[in-house]
Each structure stands twice: as C-alpha cells, then as structure tokens.
C-alpha cells in the first residue's frame, strides 16, 4: 500500500504520478479504483456529489487492502475549515480552487500547516491512523496544491509558484479556457492561447521546483501532458466514464441481429 509519505515525497520531487478523478459518492467504487494502479484518487468536494460523511467514507475505502493510491481532495474553497476537515479525514493532499494571487496561495499553505508555520487546528481524528500525527511528520506527509484556472491566477502564476511551502499547482482546463476567452470549456478557437498558457504554467512550476499537474478527459491526454512536462496528471471522471461505458455496451448490443 502506498503511504502518504511516499506519495508526497514523489510529488515534491516532481516524479510522474497519475490519478483518477471521482465525482460520485461511492466507497465501493473507490475500493475498486484504488486497486487499479493509480497513484492517487482525487475526490471532488467542490463540484462532486460528496457530503462530509461521503468524503470520509471514500477516503477510508481508498485505504483498502491492495490499494496503490492515496486519497486527495479538491476542497470546496480556499477556507481553513474545508481544508482542515479534508486533512482530518485522511487526505494526503488538498487541491485548493480559484487561487488568484500569491497571497491566496500563502493562505492555502497556512491552512495545511500547524502553528507556528500555519493556522491548521490540531485534531486529526482519522488522519492520525496513517498520517503524522505529530506536526513535523504531518507536514512531511501532506501536500497542498493551488489551482491555476482564472485570468488573475495565470497573470500571477510565477509569484504563486514561488510561494513558500506550496507543493504544486494544478490546472483546471475548463475554467482556464473560459478565462482566456473561450466561448465554451472546450472552445477550439482559443487552442493556441490555451497551449501558450499551459506552457507558461509548466515553466513557472519548473522554475520554482514544484509539481505541475493537470486535469484530463482521458488517459491519452494525460500521457500527452506528462510528455510535455507536467509532473502529474489526472484522468477524469467516474460519472462520465460510467455513462460512456454503458453507452458503448448498449450500442454494441443493439448492433447485433439488426
């Protein structure tokens, strides 16, 4: 079983990591996904279908026998309460959305670290079974990632990446494409500007020596982004893939005997 310490060390050393994105509150699915071979499962508390109990249950399920993955959470907002609860439930890393400035990034870092290095309240509850529990060990084993997905975040990306204590950045491609002028989250008319933005983000992370991650619709896209210089990539997402697989099987079944 992969430990939080192993995962965080690999992330900070900019080793290649692959994860899977979950929107569905299904601990049974999380148990199965944790054994597929991904390095992390990311549970989306911002846009996903999780309440706190669901988030807790899925993090517990990720620690199943034979798991290769740690649990990661995209929290609802850059808020110490949401960040602290995800970490107390056992997340090895948090993705913090809508980081526009270095000041926002510093606030996210502070919410992950205990005093005197931050302002996380001490009460790890379930997390202490696998992470920490002493602050110095917890700091070594948990990671904080800032999302770059807004026009302001892109404009300030070099300063954000230079934030002390920040472990990495994570690109939200749908919001980023809208932020640079796309009419939809997949608008091909801004493809050139979008790729230039990704290059700038990758270069900023590399210069700062931190991890650079990105959200992807499929495995082929994730492979491409890793080859371009991103250090970790997520394949998304369970609810979409469930529908796609069901539709493909239905089409195959209807094609016989026509």
């Amino acid at each position: 079983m992969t430990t939080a310490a192993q995962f965080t060390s690999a992330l900070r050393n900019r080793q290649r990591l692959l994860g899977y994105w979950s929107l569905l509150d299904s601990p049974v699915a999380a148990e199965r996904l944790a054994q597929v071979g991904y390095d992390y499962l990311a549970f989306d508390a911002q846009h996903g279908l999780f309440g706190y109990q669901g988030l807790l249950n899925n993090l517990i399920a990720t620690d199943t026998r034979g798991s290769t993955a740690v649990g990661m959470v995209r929290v609802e907002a850059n808020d110490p309460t949401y960040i602290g609860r995800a970490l107390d439930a056992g997340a090895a890393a948090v993705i913090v959305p809508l980081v526009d400035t270095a000041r926002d990034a510093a606030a996210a870092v502070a919410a992950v670290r205990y005093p005197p290095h931050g302002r996380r309240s001490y009460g790890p509850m379930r997390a202490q079974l696998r992470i920490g529990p002493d602050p110095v060990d917890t700091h070594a084993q948990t990671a904080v990632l800032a999302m770059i997905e807004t026009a302001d975040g892109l404009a300030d990306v070099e300063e954000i990446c230079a934030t002390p204590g920040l472990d990495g950045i994570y690109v939200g491609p749908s919001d980023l494409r809208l932020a640079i002028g796309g009419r939809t989250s997949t608008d091909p008319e801004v493809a050139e500007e979008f790729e230039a933005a990704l290059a700038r983000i990758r270069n900023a992370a590399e210069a700062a020596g931190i991890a650079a991650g990105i959200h992807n619709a499929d495995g082929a896209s994730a492979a491409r982004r890793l080859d371009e210089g991103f250090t970790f990539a997520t394949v998304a997402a369970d609810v979409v893939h469930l529908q796609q697989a069901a539709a493909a099987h239905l089409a195959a079944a209807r094609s016989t005997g026509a």
Side-chain angles (χ1 to χ4, degrees):
M1 180 180 293
T2 303
T3 67
Q6 290 169 332
F7 171 81
T8 301
S9 176
L11 182 81
R12 289 174 176 165
N13 287 320
R14 291 174 51 86
Q15 296 178 21
R16 285 191 171 195
L17 298 168
L18 281 166
Y20 191 79
W21 196 263
S22 177
L23 296 165
L24 292 173
D25 179 0
S26 176
V28 173
E31 282 185 312
R32 287 180 173 265
L33 290 168
Q35 298 184 50
V36 169
Y38 288 102
D39 299 300
Y40 62 91
L41 298 183
F43 301 105
D44 188 353
Q46 183 189 24
H47 294 303
L49 305 175
F50 298 96
Y52 180 73
Q53 188 63 51
L55 190 65
L56 176 64
N57 290 343
N58 280 271
L59 287 168
I60 292 172
T62 304
D63 293 337
T64 186
R65 183 180 64 184
S67 173
T68 64
V70 300
M72 183 186 294
V73 175
R74 176 164 69 173
V75 296
E76 295 96 315
N78 191 357
D79 183 285
T81 298
Y82 296 135
I83 293 171
R85 281 168 68 84
L87 294 172
D88 288 349
V94 289
I95 302 172
V96 180
L98 299 172
V99 172
D100 292 333
T101 66
R103 182 175 181 178
D104 290 343
V109 172
V112 172
R113 308 300 177 212
Y114 292 119
H117 306 292
R119 55 188 305 231
R120 179 182 173 188
S121 177
Y122 189 83
M125 297 300 100
R126 184 204 167 237
Q128 65 186 307
L129 300 176
R130 291 199 63 204
I131 298 172
D134 293 337
V136 64
D137 296 322
T138 301
H139 293 169
Q141 296 168 14
T142 52
V144 53
L145 308 166
M147 286 200 77
I148 306 298
E149 54 185 340
T150 66
D152 287 340
L154 179 60
D156 206 31
V157 67
E158 290 80 12
E159 288 74 17
I160 290 171
C161 287
T163 302
L166 187 68
D167 297 300
I169 49 89
Y170 187 75
V171 176
S174 295
D175 280 319
L176 182 63
R177 195 178 290 262
L178 293 173
I180 62 173
R183 292 177 297 175
T184 69
S185 63
T186 58
D187 188 355
E189 292 186 8
V190 296
E192 186 174 343
E193 295 88 343
F194 181 72
E195 294 301 326
L198 294 187
R200 179 177 177 181
I201 292 166
R202 289 195 308 267
N203 291 338
E206 182 178 12
I210 65 172
I214 188 168
H215 205 72
N216 301 273
D218 51 56
S221 298
R224 172 192 169 195
R225 296 306 184 188
L226 289 172
D227 286 343
E228 290 172 349
F230 283 94
T231 64
F232 69 103
T234 312
V235 179
D238 52 7
V239 64
V240 176
H241 295 160
L242 177 64
Q243 184 177 6
Q244 289 175 342
H249 286 295
L250 177 62
R254 282 178 169 167
S255 69
T256 59

